[in-house]
Amino acid sequence: MQRDPGMGELEEFVAQWGERLLRSAVLLAGSREAGEDLLQTALERLLRHWRRIDGDPESYLRRVLFNLAADGWRRQGLWRRRRALLEPAAAPDPADAVDLRDALVRLLAQLPPRQRTVIVLRYFEQLSEAETAAALGCSAGNVKSAASRGLRRMRELSDSWQNTRTGLTERRSG
Amino acid sequence: MSGELEVLLREGMEHSTASLRVPPGLVRRAFLRHRRRRITMRAAAAGTAAAVTAAGVTAVSLSGGTGPGRPTGPAPGATSASHDAAHIVTPAPAAPPRLNGCGPAGQGRTGWPVILRQELGCGRFRVAGHATVNGVSTIKIIEVRHAPGPVLIFWVDQSTYLPVRIVMTDGQAVINEDDTSWLRPTPGNLAKVSAPHIPAGFTRVPAGHG
């Protein structure tokens, strides 16, 4: 049985893996603050189960992070708190000078947690459907349908955003 | 923009998070919150175990032990040491014991067999099987809970009924696990019950602190 890590060991661990994990957490949670909270919660869970982790702690932490984002966080009411954080930015402002690429990231935050988690795992973590399914403990079919629904929703939102933007540009030039 | 959307999305996610760095206090906060939770749970588990063992230990001590070579006796788990925190946690004496559903611990209930029989009889605990723990043949006994909350699990020695392992779970994952060894009821060992030895570098703090 492994002993629990000290704070120094945990700091070393986070120095090695933390940056990428934080980036995923922020995308999963929708804001920097919520992402930091999510990562901290995942780290606490990692510490709690350290002695029983079968495999490497980094993979375990990653799985915890993804599953918290997809399920647990919402059950704990943090999802509602996070939504409140995102609501002001829910509709893309056509007057904004942000490009479509950045708008897509904001649109990502409007997706339901499970769809958003699947999208982040597939397109940011670049996991395959099978790897995503294994990380979330669901079937590859579920991953496929969640990704498909998520992308379709994002496409609708981005089309509507682009149309609004085009209309605005035409009105400005006309 | 079929494939284009995925490409743009990927670029957007990379770009929008590229400058993120883990804030310096995050690891420390996670570590301290974990440690605080663990100490609290350990103190709760120790308090619970103490409530049960108090009566059991008295009986075992009075009866002169349970045989040669058989560990018995004091140090009933009322004091726990957290090596992470370098703290000794002593539960407050007034802490209400959880294992009093079949009558207050230590009042007319003497000996582990009696206590366990009562706790099992009133349905507060149930036998969940047999296992070998640290080379000792044990009976696994689980607390019966009808609502969400921490669940206590004991593995008691089949011949003495003294606990060999005490585990606290939150219903799914293990929160705290303690393996217990038992000392002979010599005067020196019995003195440790009232005045536990505090190792160098550790300080005694009230329960829940740390």
Side-chain angles (χ1 to χ4, degrees), chain B residues 49-131:
Chain B
V52 173
T53 52
V57 165
T58 306
V60 170
S61 302
L62 288 174
S63 67
T66 55
R70 176 61 60 193
T72 60
T79 299
S80 70
S82 164
H83 292 267
D84 292 339
H87 282 157
I88 299 287
V89 179
T90 304
R98 274 173 59 204
L99 296 179
N100 60 359
C102 308
Q107 292 182 11
R109 302 203 301 158
T110 54
W112 271 92
V114 175
I115 293 167
L116 291 174
R117 199 177 302 122
Q118 287 179 344
E119 297 288 347
L120 291 167
C122 76
R124 194 168 178 82
F125 281 79
R126 67 179 173 83
V127 172
H130 298 263

Side-chain angles (χ1 to χ4, degrees), chain B residues 60-177:
Chain B
V60 170
S61 302
L62 288 174
S63 67
T66 55
R70 176 61 60 193
T72 60
T79 299
S80 70
S82 164
H83 292 267
D84 292 339
H87 282 157
I88 299 287
V89 179
T90 304
R98 274 173 59 204
L99 296 179
N100 60 359
C102 308
Q107 292 182 11
R109 302 203 301 158
T110 54
W112 271 92
V114 175
I115 293 167
L116 291 174
R117 199 177 302 122
Q118 287 179 344
E119 297 288 347
L120 291 167
C122 76
R124 194 168 178 82
F125 281 79
R126 67 179 173 83
V127 172
H130 298 263
T132 302
V133 176
N134 298 332
V136 178
S137 297
T138 64
I139 306 167
K140 184 179 179 184
I141 296 172
I142 296 184
E143 185 178 9
V144 176
R145 289 201 55 108
H146 303 290
V151 175
L152 194 63
I153 307 169
F154 283 103
W155 282 258
V156 299
D157 188 317
Q158 262 184 357
S159 53
T160 64
Y161 300 103
L162 291 170
V164 176
R165 175 169 288 167
I166 303 170
V167 166
M168 177 81 81
T169 81
D170 62 6
Q172 292 178 333
V174 171
I175 297 167
N176 188 69
E177 177 177 330

Side-chain angles (χ1 to χ4, degrees), chain A residues 135-146:
Chain A
L136 295 178
C138 62
S139 71
N142 283 346
V143 168
K144 197 170 184 171
S145 64

Side-chain angles (χ1 to χ4, degrees), chain A residues 3 16 51 57-58 67 70 72 120 122 127 133 145 165-166 174:
Chain A
R3 65 178 180 78
Q16 190 175 359
R51 288 191 286 176
E58 190 257 340
N67 281 289
V120 171
R122 292 282 286 115
L127 301 185
S145 64
R165 205 179 184 209
T166 309

Side-chain angles (χ1 to χ4, degrees), chain A residues 93-154:
Chain A
D93 181 359
D96 258 356
V98 294
D99 59 22
L100 176 58
R101 188 188 64 185
D102 293 333
L104 282 172
V105 177
R106 294 204 300 171
L107 295 174
L108 176 70
Q110 294 184 46
L111 296 180
R114 197 150 191 95
Q115 287 177 22
R116 186 174 56 251
T117 305
V118 167
I119 297 280
V120 171
L121 264 61
R122 292 282 286 115
Y123 299 105
F124 182 70
E125 294 285 341
Q126 303 199 26
L127 301 185
S128 67
E129 279 176 358
E131 288 167 334
T132 305
L136 295 178
C138 62
S139 71
N142 283 346
V143 168
K144 197 170 184 171
S145 64
S148 164
R149 282 199 304 274
L151 286 176
R152 189 167 62 234
R153 177 73 183 134
M154 288 193 76

Side-chain angles (χ1 to χ4, degrees), chain A residues 19-62:
Chain A
E19 194 179 303
R20 186 73 187 177
L21 288 164
L22 178 63
R23 294 175 72 183
S24 296
V26 168
L27 289 168
L28 291 165
S31 77
R32 183 180 181 139
E33 292 75 18
E36 288 175 3
D37 277 356
L38 176 59
L39 180 57
Q40 184 183 322
T41 305
L43 281 172
E44 287 170 36
R45 200 162 288 194
L46 172 77
L47 286 168
R48 205 185 309 163
H49 300 289
W50 185 273
R51 288 191 286 176
R52 287 175 184 77
I53 294 170
D54 185 21
D56 68 301
E58 190 257 340
S59 302
Y60 180 84
L61 182 60
R62 213 167 266 284

